Amino acid sequence: MVRKYKRKSTQHSWSEEGMKNAISDCKAGNLSVAMAAKTYDVPLTTLYRKMKLNSSAEEASQKKLGRYRPTFTKEQEQQLRDYILLMEKRLFGLSMRDFRSLAYQYAELNRIPHSFCKKTALAGEDWVSNFLKRNPEISLRLPEKTSAARATAFNRPNVANFFALLGELMDKYHFTASQIYNCDETGLSTVPNKPSKILSLKGKKQIGSLSSAERGTLVTAEICVSASGHYIPPLLIFPRVRLNPLFDVGLPPDSVVVCHPSGWMQTDIFVVWFKHFVRYAKPTNTDPVLLIMDGHATHTKNIEMMELAKSTNVHILILPPHTSHRLQPLDVSYMFPLSAFYEQEVRAWQRNHPGKVVTIHNVGALFGKAYQRASTQQNATSGFQNTGIFPYNPHIFPDDLFEPSETTNRELPPTPPAALENLIQEVNNTTPPPAATTSSIPDKPQSKSQKLLAPEEILPIPKADVQLKQRTNRNRGKTMILTSTPNMEEIKEKHSTPKIPTKAVKRKISSSPKINNCPVKRKQENKNTEKKVFVESDLSGSNETISYADSSESPDAENESELSFEEDRPLHYSTVSVADIHPNDYVLIDLQDEAKKTKKRFVAQVMCAKKNRINVKFMREYRQSKNIYVFPAIPDESEVFLNEIIGRLHSYELLRYGKIKFL
């Protein structure tokens, strides 16, 4: 292969820059041909031959290998190089195959003579290899995954907003390096996620590293450090219900150990840590403290912690969402060394204890060793310096870091692929020639005066469409001073008192009459059927049976949609007055739909009674079972009138899982 060819002679070893200067001096009469060849170390015969060419010094100094010519000029390759770097900044980097396809389309659409393969529509591997040699600043690398939220959230407005609030606090309180802190959580697993590189046999397909299990147990650690390098003793959350004395073994001095079944940070645990923080930071009225942290729910919705911070002279600044990878000092300079040292300690422990596995009881000792190795003053101060927090520098980030957010900042839609052909015709003012089948070099070379299609026009840079504003009830995070009075009042109003819906479920009364969500029988006219209704009287205590010989004798005969119970599913109730209704009583309610002229009966529990208005909580029939009811998952509460209550249900039986059977 050409790309593996090794030179066997010194031909064409002279530099183009030296040949250019030699030709220029000879034409200007400054040096003779022999003296110029000796001065610039170029071949004498080659210089004689190039002097005879009727061309400029720059064109004559270019190296040519026989009849072969480079596919693209330096300016065209510069365009391709700039496009590659721009796409990488936007997090849409080109793979090797994408770049070969782009180079082929760039040559085809601009009618540049080339020797690329028409069948595969790709540039050759040899050309790509030589292109990378001519542009050593470009190399094939493995990218790191970056979420779309991080790519779009780290933009100029969000960063400027954060530094504006930080500058406001710095101007007002004049914080020193020892008064600015940053806290963050990190996860410690008995099985580290990424093992370190090891030495192995070259060419071996797969190498392994011993681990305790397939998946590890997670322990959360709360880390806090100041801009001067002062570390607050950490807090560790173990995924257990009760504390174990083995959890404290090997931890840094004055560390705090708590337990929670999930192993994650909770609101009450963060309050415990904050009291621990105040004990070591020692804020006062004359020396307040600034605490910078992310907008996790345990931070921004923690009313107890905010009130405690307000009373202890701690000012809290929240980072913009999805920007901690750039703006949080611990993420920038500390968390990576800590995880690397922790993985090394786990690997060393396994080597010293063959046949054993790392358990949750060993995490404290392993973390303690890694914590002391990573907790250096340089790691602390460099994190605050590289984020521009201290010393205060709002212009710390270069422009190329904001390039990924340009994808969503643009309002222009991307060029549709269907319009690419029209764009080519508009630029060239001619129709493209038919594809050749035998020769890969077009008949007509590219004209110098003809405008070239840029790589951006061939493969447009991705741009997000303009999105309409959508209504949403979600409270999105933002950068803010959490301890400021307006923000605290707003958070208290939203999260201190939970909202209880008065009507969570809207009852629909169907056109067909039902009792207790079950179909019932209508009274048929001209039929002398006898219906029995069981009534339990509170006064006499005896059951009364009322018989209707005909529908015309019914008290509500004028209402055609009057309901009656099924014979096999009676409910026993007693008539009541407002004085007989007490909270937690079960009543039978008759509701009427005036529009559809239908009635429906419900079973409900009394909440409270006020004169003729009673607040009740409705029940639902349990899977069409006989007289068995349950309360719905979403409370169905409403207010009814006294005349809508038929009677009170006395006889019932409590079943499992909240079910109630009425007798």
Side-chain angles (χ1 to χ4, degrees), residues 359-380:
T359 64
I360 195 174
H361 305 97
N362 308 120
V363 171
L366 298 175
F367 168 74
K369 295 179 181 179
Y371 181 81
Q372 295 197 5
R373 294 175 60 187
S375 300
T376 62
Q377 188 176 13
Q378 182 180 0
N379 286 343

Side-chain angles (χ1 to χ4, degrees), residues 329-464:
L330 285 173
D331 281 347
V332 171
S333 65
Y334 183 81
M335 292 304 182
F336 181 79
L338 178 65
S339 62
F341 291 146
Y342 177 76
E343 190 275 334
Q344 293 174 12
E345 294 296 335
V346 171
R347 187 154 41 87
W349 188 93
Q350 290 178 333
R351 187 181 299 114
N352 296 329
H353 299 80
K356 296 183 179 180
V357 296
V358 178
T359 64
I360 195 174
H361 305 97
N362 308 120
V363 171
L366 298 175
F367 168 74
K369 295 179 181 179
Y371 181 81
Q372 295 197 5
R373 294 175 60 187
S375 300
T376 62
Q377 188 176 13
Q378 182 180 0
N379 286 343
T381 56
S382 62
F384 286 88
Q385 184 178 357
N386 293 335
T387 55
I389 294 177
F390 191 89
Y392 179 75
N393 184 10
H395 307 292
I396 188 68
F397 300 108
D399 294 338
D400 59 331
L401 293 182
F402 298 104
E403 286 290 341
S405 63
E406 293 296 324
T407 302
T408 53
N409 289 346
R410 299 291 182 88
E411 298 184 357
L412 295 176
T415 306
L420 182 60
E421 200 69 22
N422 298 332
L423 179 62
I424 298 168
Q425 295 180 12
E426 181 180 354
V427 174
N428 294 339
N429 200 18
T430 56
T431 57
T437 55
T438 56
S439 176
S440 60
I441 302 178
D443 296 335
K444 296 182 179 180
Q446 171 69 38
S447 175
K448 293 184 179 180
S449 61
Q450 187 176 348
K451 181 181 177 182
L452 291 175
L453 280 175
E456 294 85 352
E457 297 173 318
I458 299 173
L459 187 61
I461 299 174
K463 302 170 187 175

Side-chain angles (χ1 to χ4, degrees), residues 28 31 40 49 73 75 77 79 92 94 113 157 216 235 262 295 333 344 346 348 379 382 472 502 516 596 609 635 654:
L31 295 174
Y40 294 103
R49 177 168 49 86
T73 62
E75 292 77 12
E77 285 199 356
Q79 276 191 340
F92 292 100
L94 301 180
L235 176 141
S262 67
S333 65
Q344 293 174 12
V346 171
N379 286 343
S382 62
T472 176
T502 55
N516 307 321
K596 298 181 179 180
L654 298 178

